[in-house]
Amino acid sequence: MKEGEVVSDYHSRLINIVNQMKRNGEKLEDVRVIEKMLRSLTPSFEHVVAVTEESKDLEIMTTEELLGSLGVHELRIRRHDEVIGCEQALESKMAFDGG
């Protein structure tokens, strides 16, 4: 996964590669795709990867379930970053106004 890449874009790119491999005769189980996806995520997903590996049965998990879980985490990160950005802008305005 590239830094700053959206999870859904990464998932689409990965599934595209998996489908190409399957068309060429490669046998890929979902669990193998999930493990590769978890290993290739950016460091901001590290704690989600740890929780997923510890609490979920990867043998029965689907790539869509993983995508949903990662998408929720990504939304939380973005919301948090927006709040921080807004707070910093307000602090800057207050400092500029002399307040």
Side-chain angles (χ1 to χ4, degrees):
M1 183 174 186
K2 299 172 187 169
E3 195 65 43
E5 184 175 19
V6 179
V7 172
S8 60
D9 291 345
Y10 172 63
H11 178 262
S12 295
R13 197 163 43 92
L14 179 68
I15 295 303
N16 192 14
I17 292 168
V18 167
N19 288 338
Q20 288 175 6
M21 292 173 71
K22 286 181 178 180
R23 278 194 303 271
N24 289 324
E26 182 84 25
K27 297 210 186 289
L28 288 173
E29 307 259 336
D30 270 354
V31 68
R32 187 167 171 218
V33 174
I34 288 170
E35 288 169 347
K36 288 192 179 290
M37 190 171 183
L38 289 173
R39 276 196 305 269
S40 62
L41 293 169
T42 58
S44 64
F45 289 93
E46 192 61 38
H47 63 282
V48 176
V49 171
V51 168
T52 301
E53 289 177 340
E54 289 294 321
S55 66
K56 305 276 186 183
D57 184 357
L58 299 182
E59 296 288 333
I60 61 172
M61 185 179 220
T62 65
T63 56
E64 288 77 21
E65 288 173 324
L66 178 59
L67 176 63
S69 179
L70 295 174
V72 168
H73 174 68
E74 183 176 58
L75 285 174
R76 290 180 57 87
I77 289 173
R78 287 193 179 172
R79 257 191 254 135
H80 181 264
D81 290 347
E82 287 173 6
V83 168
I84 298 282
C86 183
E87 288 174 359
Q88 288 175 345
L90 290 173
E91 288 175 10
S92 296
K93 181 166 177 33
M94 287 175 53
F96 181 74
D97 290 343

